Amino acid sequence: MKTPRLSLTTIIFTFFLITILSGCNNGDSDNYTVAPPEPLPGKADLSQYDNGKRVMMQAFYWDVEPRFEWWEILSRKIEDWAASGIDRIWLPVATKGQSGEFSMGYDPSDYFDFGEFDQHNTIPTRFGTRSDLEALIGKAHNNGLEVIADIVLNHNSGGGEEFNPYRNKNTHTLFNKDHGNASGMFNRNYEDFHPNSIHEHDEEALFFEEQDLCHHQSRVQEWLWKGENSVARYYKDIMKFDGWRFDYVKGYGSWVVKAWNDEVGGFSVGEYWDGSAPKLIEWVEASGSAAFDFACFYKLDEALDRNNDLTILEGDMLWKTHPDKAVTFVANHDTEKDENPENNISTANKMLAYAYILTHNGYPTIFYSDYENETYKSRLKDLIRIHNTMATGPIEVLYSSPEEYIMRRNGTKDNPGLILYMNISSGHKQRTIPSNWKDQSLVDYSNNTSAWLMTDSEGQVTIEAPARSFSIWSVSQ
């Protein structure tokens, strides 16, 4: 049986004649003419399908500019992000680093200097003053957004020099008011780093050897999460952060993240940079925290950039076994500056990758530089809207080949779900598939085609997708 299709552009230029798609799958079609329906099918009001899901915004990129103004710049974005369906913003490391005004925060020196102490040749951080940050957090909360703090627990930088008996040489492990810790809180010395009187190193690999924090030291635990004035409690109770992004969690035991979260709670995601789904699963189960789904990231990179083979998406990913613990992403501050093409997804394929994570399970993260890029912005807004409304219900892969991937979200009793069609070939593709909708018109909510389709009495329909692009089908209004 042939399935009707109508292109709105064709209507205008052919006096309301439409094309009937055949059941063939090679891009060919037979032409017929039928009277168009009245009224023409259009998109449904998606607000009626709110599924309660939202997305997170990574609100920075590497070496943001201009210096000292970032918190103010973000404050001006809050209303738009909230209206677009974002429910959390992940901020860069908010405290003073050794590099002072040039620091992105991953060289942490003073955990309690949010831009108010004169040290490392600056009072504000690269991002602004403490008052600017507090204003940003307040505005985010007033617009219903949670604010996620980036926490670096593995290593410290910018301390004063002292003799270290465990290394039999001088090391920069002295942190006090005169040496990189002007707040006077969480002063440290060589006993708080590795090696020390307890052991040589943490359970996991060393990253920043000479200033590698020892999480087994009781006073380190008190200052990081246990004590009344701990970093965790200060960030939550005083600064009003709502959750945590833990940097480089391979550098210490998973028990550290679990202990932190048991003490103060809040949303939590760890940067366990590994493309192995089993390793990610092991970490999230041990820590109790969510993790960035690097397995998904690398599968998308392999499928879209390296191998041009969408069957790779059938492989293991964290979201497939632990959807509530998987934070999916297409780009972040590290991948975007990485010159190794195997560690980033190409510009040409970014929207395909976003279409994948925003229609599948997991908690998607949008990268600031992508969302604020006018090339992507309107399309990302459409995908976020689709994610927050119709991307629900069990997932079924209906068809998979090197060039094509078709997935169905089966929806719920009150939600129609959707069908995603990814096509990485150089030509327009069509394929006949089963849907959950009988005798209903469908439209492409991605806006990548202007066609409408009609399912038959059994739910069969021939869907289409443009070359090197995608379409997302669901019932019309």
Side-chain angles (χ1 to χ4, degrees), residues 41 238 246 280 287 457:
I238 306 300
F246 292 100
L280 290 168
S287 67
S457 60

Side-chain angles (χ1 to χ4, degrees), residues 52-197:
K53 298 178 182 179
R54 296 295 182 266
V55 303
M56 180 164 66
M57 174 68 73
Q58 178 178 356
F60 63 99
Y61 55 91
W62 203 264
D63 291 339
V64 298
E65 294 288 353
R67 291 191 296 279
F68 310 134
E69 298 180 24
W70 195 246
W71 299 144
E72 294 179 345
I73 289 171
L74 296 186
S75 290
R76 297 195 289 270
K77 307 287 186 182
I78 292 297
E79 289 94 342
D80 173 62
W81 291 351
S84 295
I86 290 158
D87 68 342
R88 291 188 177 102
I89 57 172
W90 157 25
L91 298 186
V93 182
T95 50
K96 196 72 60 68
Q98 180 183 13
S99 303
E101 68 178 272
F102 301 100
S103 174
M104 285 297 295
Y106 295 100
D107 53 348
S109 179
D110 189 335
Y111 283 99
F112 296 89
D113 181 1
F114 292 89
E116 58 185 308
F117 296 100
D118 189 353
Q119 59 181 331
H120 299 306
N121 299 313
T122 183
I123 293 177
T125 67
R126 183 187 192 106
F127 314 111
T129 65
R130 174 174 176 151
S131 61
D132 293 336
L133 173 60
E134 290 173 326
L136 168 61
I137 294 173
K139 187 172 183 180
H141 288 163
N142 290 339
N143 282 272
L145 301 183
E146 289 192 354
V147 183
I148 306 306
D150 202 319
I151 304 294
V152 183
L153 301 182
N154 179 70
H155 57 277
N156 291 167
S157 302
E161 192 173 16
E162 64 178 348
F163 179 74
N164 187 333
Y166 298 104
R167 292 189 177 274
N168 196 31
K169 67 176 184 178
N170 285 359
T171 55
H172 291 87
T173 46
L174 179 63
F175 291 82
N176 56 33
K177 282 191 174 184
D178 297 322
H179 300 93
N181 199 50
S183 69
M185 302 174 74
F186 192 18
N187 290 328
R188 286 144 277 165
N189 63 30
Y190 58 79
E191 278 287 356
D192 301 311
F193 299 91
H194 293 118
N196 55 31
S197 59

Side-chain angles (χ1 to χ4, degrees), residues 178-245:
D178 297 322
H179 300 93
N181 199 50
S183 69
M185 302 174 74
F186 192 18
N187 290 328
R188 286 144 277 165
N189 63 30
Y190 58 79
E191 278 287 356
D192 301 311
F193 299 91
H194 293 118
N196 55 31
S197 59
I198 297 177
H199 56 191
E200 291 290 315
H201 56 78
D202 276 321
E203 298 88 338
E204 305 296 336
L206 293 175
F207 170 66
F208 202 85
E209 187 173 355
E210 289 192 354
Q211 288 88 46
D212 184 68
L213 268 176
C214 176
H215 303 87
H216 289 268
Q217 285 283 22
S218 59
R219 67 180 307 279
V220 172
Q221 294 179 14
E222 282 293 313
W223 273 109
L224 286 182
W225 69 83
K226 282 186 176 180
E228 291 185 3
N229 294 318
S230 68
V231 173
R233 291 204 171 278
Y234 195 92
Y235 278 49
K236 182 177 181 180
D237 298 339
I238 306 300
M239 298 304 295
K240 305 302 181 183
F241 281 101
D242 303 288
W244 326 100
R245 180 266 184 186

